[in-house]
Amino acid sequence: MKGFRAVIMAAGKGTRLKSELPKVLHPLFGKPLLMRVLDTLSGVQAEEACVIIGHGREQVTAALAAYETNFPLRTVVQEPQLGTGHALQQVRQQLEDWAGFMGNVLILSGDVPLLTAKSLEHLLQAHQTEGNDLTLLAATMQNPFGYGRVITEGRSVARIVEQKDATEAEKQVQLINTGIYCLNWAKISPLLDQLSNNNAQGEFYLTDVIALAVKAGYQVGSAHLDDPDEVLGVNSRADLALCHDILNRRTLNRLMGDGVTILHPASTFIGPEVSIGPDTTVLPGCYLQGEVTIGKRCTIGPHTTMSGSVFIEDDVKVMQSSVRDTRIGSVCNIGPFAQLRDGVDINHHVNIGNFVEVKKARIDHHTNAAHLAYLGDATLGTDVNIGAGTITANYDPIRDIKEQTVIEDGAKIGSNSVLIAPVTVGQNASVAAGSVITKNVKPWDLAIARGRQVEIPGWVKRVKGLSEPAPQN
Ligand code: UD1
Ligand code: CA
């Protein structure tokens, strides 16, 4: 369908979450519910969209400003929040340029994050082919508690009754209102003026528009959604957990279908933005979210987390490690117990071993930091060896600035060395173990920066009285 606009209702408080964060900003795999709805909308090409904001609107506005959509986005403020019908009244009252709009408007809720673009397409298509003035998206739920029930007369939709207003007989109805509609704006929006708040919640229900439209003689229909999981609304922390679980299962099934081995789905958590190449194995206890791309034949986990923007090439092993905003070339070994974060770029055949933290660093191929090191704000060449316990001291706490360390190709850093940045260790240079390096080291030189070893012959024997006292002089 072409030329339609969209409204996303996102002004509610989400009382049942008992949270300081507005409900629609609660994340699922790192992305707020509202942004997941916007992503879905991106798949059906709305002409423009309007988000109704209210509760916590400074936070919601800031989040929207930082988010890119492929359609123009504007906001309307609903204050106070007197219900979903009242929310839509604000669009009618505040957007003057919508008054003459003759097309259709798709209504979405910001708290229904699992909906797919395919289902929206299904709704739009039904609306168009049936020539409806209003089409609601309905689903059949085994446990419909909490949802508005779709009451039919014969084969036609007659009205919607909310859980709190339903009679015992109406509560038995399993056909639920998903809260997603497509409507002819010019015909249906004037009916919003007739809504009343004479109901159990004292709210202006958008759902009452259905009966009003039927009464006015408009053609009202419904599209049925096969998978009711898609329209789970998040009203409580338990709902959030359920959505997380369903979204996870959906992603794991996709990945397994693509040839990824996931040995224990019940303990593996992967966000929908993650892509993984075939013959990669994800071991139990992994939590991968964000813009993560992993190549072929990798082994990830057990117990590994990834977030932010992560790109991993083929044949890489990452074991029991934390990886954020990092790029890793092919045939690298990471971990166990490594942390890579905030702008790390590692070339191929690199080993980062246990208890090594790498932050904002570039590491060229065939370089090793196998144990117990901190490499921050650093550039390492190829074929470098970092001894156990090496620290790049990048932070000057007096001036509160970070400085750079450069370790050029072929350089070897002895164990337990501290490289005080800014400093450069030249090509093929060697730093003796235990050194504190404060000045640049030239290529091919050996730098020793520690107290010289002193030996006192026979000192132990003397202390223990096993030999003559040392001669006095
Ligand atoms: C709503 C529907 C219900 C449907 C269910 C599906 C109504 C009256 N009921 O119930 O039939 O089964 O969704 O998930 O519409 N909002 C505002 N302003 C407000 C109130 C709410 O913008 O004044 C927003 C909320 O932020 C939320 C959405 O509208 O994103 C739905 O509101 P919510 O209170 O969660 O409605 P439900 O009780 O779930
Ligand atoms: Ca809801």
Side-chain angles (χ1 to χ4, degrees), residues 56-69:
R57 61 179 173 274
E58 299 78 15
Q59 280 166 283
V60 177
T61 305
L64 285 173
Y67 201 70
E68 262 182 48
T69 52

Side-chain angles (χ1 to χ4, degrees), residues 16 23 109 111-112 147 233-235:
R16 287 164 279 179
K23 170 160 82 172
S109 284
D111 66 345
V112 179
Y147 290 88
V234 175
N235 298 315

